[in-house]
């Protein structure tokens, strides 16, 4: 609805501006500017956070003045040109930063969602301090008529609510409140949630648990419980890691990253990436702490899952098959977890490196490596030493951020070269399908009845 109104504003205002370039206001321009003005007021009242439309509102305001008064021909023409430029700018912002309708999860279950927090005190000498964790759980939910009516949560609400977000950035993302997910907070769990396999998800270096909402909802709708973990003080953690890097190492790391952005043979990319992983001791320390965070969450899993409405209390989570999954640096965390915790029965690394303190330890559980086109081959060290299935796939034409919700929500990034050529919806469906098929084959011990409860 609102996208249609925005298009109508841009169309009627552009028509009015074009006509002011041709002749003085006529009986034809009055209805168009009245329509553009009325629609602008409706849109502004219903979503003042939609700042992308501000240039259009300015153009409409000017056109109202131009139509209501008699202006010299020169001023009228200049004003019409400026109005068209403003409307073009608004159209680019609306297209590049849309309010998309997110695709429905493709599984038979509804999707529920809860959030909670955890804390743990680190006593290891090199890692002392308090770890504050934000936990999000997506789970299979009932899909009876009562559950269908509530509206899903706003996309990335966690980002706007997190402490430390600059007010300007919070304002710029305010329009995303109108992008609704399909996860219902505190929805009643399906009966299959009590035995569903668990996927432990680690986001990128500085990100949110909901960075991959489309993936989480898809997995939950197919009978998986997904537990996302975010270190609340991640910005301070990053600053600490950066401060620990000496100038020589920092310089060589920058050189390697520049090389990796170029066209390399697969063998050379693997060799240079391995050098980068060895040099990145401060990043490895971050990965080690986050791996321990994941173990803490696994230890607390029965208590965390007991919060889910309709989920029976007791020793939940014990004995469930558990997969570790992560995007970018989160992929390194998932990889490390599988090396130190036998509860982890599979790994999914979404375009992440092998930063960690156990770089040369082999993987002993099934491993799915999902590459963007540029990074293909970076982790051949792991593939060549794996003691279990190592399955890799590459998304043709995809870039790193294509594996994030941004590929659907922020298509403007494509114009700056941050996204690949594949459409956002298409790459999201491809990624979700690859992950689900891998999990179905390696983690799900017994496929539950797929009739939603």
């Amino acid at each position: 609805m609102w996208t249609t109104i925005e298009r109508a504003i841009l169309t009627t205002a552009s028509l009015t501006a074009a006509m002011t370039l041709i002749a003085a206001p006529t009986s034809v321009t009055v209805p168009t500017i009245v329509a553009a003005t009325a629609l602008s007021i409706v849109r502004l009242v219903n979503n003042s956070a939609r700042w992308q439309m501000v240039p259009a509102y300015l153009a409409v305001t000017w056109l109202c003045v131009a139509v209501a008064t008699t202006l010299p021909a020169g001023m009228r023409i200049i004003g019409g040109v400026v109005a068209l430029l403003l409307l073009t700018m608004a159209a680019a912002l609306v297209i590049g930063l849309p309010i998309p309708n997110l695709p429905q999860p493709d599984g038979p279950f509804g999707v529920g969602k809860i959030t909670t927090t955890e804390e743990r005190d680190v006593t290891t000498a090199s890692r002392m301090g308090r770890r504050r964790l934000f936990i999000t759980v997506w789970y299979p939910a009932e899909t009876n008529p009562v559950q269908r009516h509530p509206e899903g949560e706003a996309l990335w609400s966690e980002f706007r609510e997190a402490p430390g977000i600059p007010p300007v950035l919070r304002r710029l993302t305010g329009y995303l409140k109108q992008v609704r997910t399909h996860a219902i907070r505190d929805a009643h769990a399906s009966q299959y949630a009590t035995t569903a396999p668990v996927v432990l998800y680690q986001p990128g270096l500085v990100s949110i648990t909901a960075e991959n909402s489309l993936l989480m909802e898809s997995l939950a709708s197919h009978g998986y419980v997904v537990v996302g973990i975010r270190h609340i003080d991640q910005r301070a953690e990053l600053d600490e890691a950066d401060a620990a890097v000496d100038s020589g190492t920092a310089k060589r790391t920058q050189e390697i990253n520049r090389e990796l952005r170029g066209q390399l043979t697969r063998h050379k990319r693997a060799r240079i990436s391995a050098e980068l992983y060895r040099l990145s001791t401060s990043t490895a320390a971050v990965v080690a702490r986050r791996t321990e965070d994941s173990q803490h969450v696994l230890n607390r899993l029965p208590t965390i899952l007991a919060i889910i409405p309709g989920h029976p209390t007791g020793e939940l989570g014990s004995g469930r098959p558990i997969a570790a999954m992560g995007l970018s640096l989160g992929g390194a965390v998932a990889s490390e977890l599988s090396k130190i915790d036998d509860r982890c029965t599979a790994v999914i690394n979404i375009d992440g490196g092998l930063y960690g303190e156990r770089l040369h330890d082999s993987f002993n559980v099934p491993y799915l490596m999902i590459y963007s086109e540029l990074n293909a081959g970076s982790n051949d060290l792991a593939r060549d030493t794996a003691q279990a299935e190592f399955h890799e796939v590459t998304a043709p034409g995809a870039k790193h951020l294509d594996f994030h919700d941004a590929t659907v929500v922020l298509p403007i990034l494509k114009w700056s070269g941050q996204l690949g050529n594949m459409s956002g919806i298409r790459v999201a469906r491809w990624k979700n399908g690859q992950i689900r098929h891998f999990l179905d084959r390696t983690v799900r011990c017994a496929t539950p009845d797929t009739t939603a409860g």
Side-chain angles (χ1 to χ4, degrees):
M1 172 185 175
W2 298 118
T3 299
T4 301
I5 290 178
E6 289 176 356
R7 290 174 180 170
I9 293 169
L10 294 169
T11 301
T12 54
S14 297
L15 181 60
T16 305
M19 287 189 290
T20 61
L21 294 175
I22 300 171
T26 66
S27 59
V28 178
T29 58
V30 173
T32 58
I33 192 57
V34 168
T37 303
L39 290 170
S40 297
I41 292 172
V42 170
R43 187 66 183 113
L44 188 59
V45 168
N46 282 277
N47 188 8
S48 60
R50 186 65 164 151
W51 57 268
Q52 293 88 336
M53 286 295 293
V54 168
Y57 300 148
L58 292 174
V60 169
T61 301
W62 159 253
L63 292 170
C64 285
V65 174
V67 170
T69 61
T70 302
L71 298 174
M75 184 177 292
R76 189 186 72 245
I77 292 173
I78 292 173
V81 170
V82 171
L84 284 174
L85 290 174
L86 288 170
L87 291 166
T88 301
M89 182 188 301
L93 290 171
V94 166
I95 294 170
L97 298 168
I99 300 178
N101 291 319
L102 301 181
Q104 286 274 357
D106 50 355
F109 298 103
V111 179
K113 178 181 178 181
I114 62 166
T115 59
T116 186
T117 57
E118 286 283 330
E119 289 191 11
R120 71 182 186 92
D121 289 324
V122 181
T123 56
T124 306
S126 60
R127 298 170 187 157
M128 292 184 67
R130 185 177 63 156
R131 304 285 292 180
R132 300 190 301 156
L133 308 176
F134 183 88
I135 313 295
T136 304
V137 182
W138 293 262
Y139 55 91
E142 292 182 351
T143 56
N144 57 53
V146 174
Q147 294 290 342
R148 290 180 186 144
H149 291 297
E151 189 176 35
E153 282 201 321
L155 182 73
W156 298 350
S157 56
E158 175 191 346
F159 171 78
R160 291 184 297 278
E161 296 166 1
I165 302 299
V168 172
L169 193 56
R170 204 183 299 273
R171 177 66 178 173
L172 289 177
T173 58
Y175 76 97
L176 290 177
K177 292 177 182 178
Q178 285 198 321
V179 181
R180 313 307 298 191
T181 67
H182 300 286
I184 306 301
R185 182 173 284 273
D186 297 328
H188 198 276
S190 164
Q191 60 179 310
Y192 299 111
T194 59
T195 56
V198 172
V199 179
L200 206 64
Y201 182 78
Q202 285 280 354
L205 179 59
V206 179
S207 191
I208 56 176
T209 60
E211 66 183 10
N212 247 317
S213 294
L214 274 65
L215 171 60
M216 308 312 185
E217 293 182 3
S218 175
L219 291 177
S221 75
H222 281 280
Y224 289 90
V225 172
V226 186
V227 182
I229 308 167
R230 169 172 62 86
H231 178 48
I232 292 175
D233 302 309
Q234 57 187 338
R235 173 58 64 178
E237 182 180 54
L238 173 60
D239 293 341
E240 178 186 346
D242 288 342
V245 181
D246 64 76
S247 58
T249 300
K251 182 179 179 181
R252 178 55 186 154
T253 298
Q254 291 172 358
E255 292 172 352
I256 291 175
N257 283 323
R258 281 195 296 269
E259 286 186 75
L260 291 174
R261 287 193 290 270
Q263 296 298 320
L264 303 173
T265 64
R266 179 165 184 143
H267 175 73
K268 187 173 183 179
R269 183 172 300 281
R271 178 175 58 79
I272 295 175
S273 296
E275 181 185 357
L276 177 64
Y277 302 149
R278 287 192 297 271
L279 286 174
S280 303
T281 55
S282 60
T283 304
V286 172
V287 170
R289 286 192 288 266
R290 296 192 181 185
T291 302
E292 292 168 357
D293 292 340
S294 295
Q295 287 189 296
H296 172 83
V297 171
L298 285 179
N299 295 338
R300 295 274 299 161
L301 193 58
T303 302
I304 293 171
L305 298 186
I307 301 173
I308 298 174
H311 210 297
T313 58
E315 288 301 313
L316 306 176
S318 301
R320 293 184 188 222
I322 294 172
M325 177 171 69
L327 169 65
S328 194
L329 189 77
V333 177
S335 300
E336 283 289 286
L337 180 65
S338 72
K339 294 177 179 180
I340 66 172
D341 199 311
D342 292 340
R343 290 172 291 185
C344 178
T345 58
V347 180
I348 300 165
N349 184 346
I350 309 173
D351 213 33
L354 295 176
Y355 304 94
E357 298 176 341
R358 298 167 180 81
L359 175 61
H360 295 285
D361 289 4
S362 60
F363 292 103
N364 298 307
V365 296
Y367 196 103
L368 172 63
M369 183 67 231
I370 299 179
Y371 283 124
S372 61
E373 196 169 71
L374 183 63
N375 290 332
S378 298
N379 295 340
D380 279 358
L381 172 65
R383 181 199 63 182
D384 295 342
T385 59
Q387 299 299 307
E389 171 194 353
F390 191 100
H391 182 63
E392 65 175 56
V393 290
T394 301
K399 295 191 176 182
H400 190 65
L401 273 179
D402 280 303
F403 299 132
H404 187 286
D405 283 344
T407 192
V408 172
V409 181
L410 305 174
I412 196 171
L413 296 176
K414 192 182 292 287
W415 305 345
S416 61
Q418 300 302 306
L419 298 175
N421 298 324
M422 195 185 303
S423 76
I425 293 294
R426 185 180 172 194
V427 72
R429 286 175 175 162
W430 178 88
K431 174 195 66 184
N432 296 356
Q434 293 286 342
I435 291 171
R436 182 167 58 83
H437 293 318
F438 174 79
L439 289 171
D440 286 348
R441 183 167 51 83
T442 61
V443 174
R444 194 188 297 277
C445 295
T447 304
D449 183 348
T450 56
T451 303

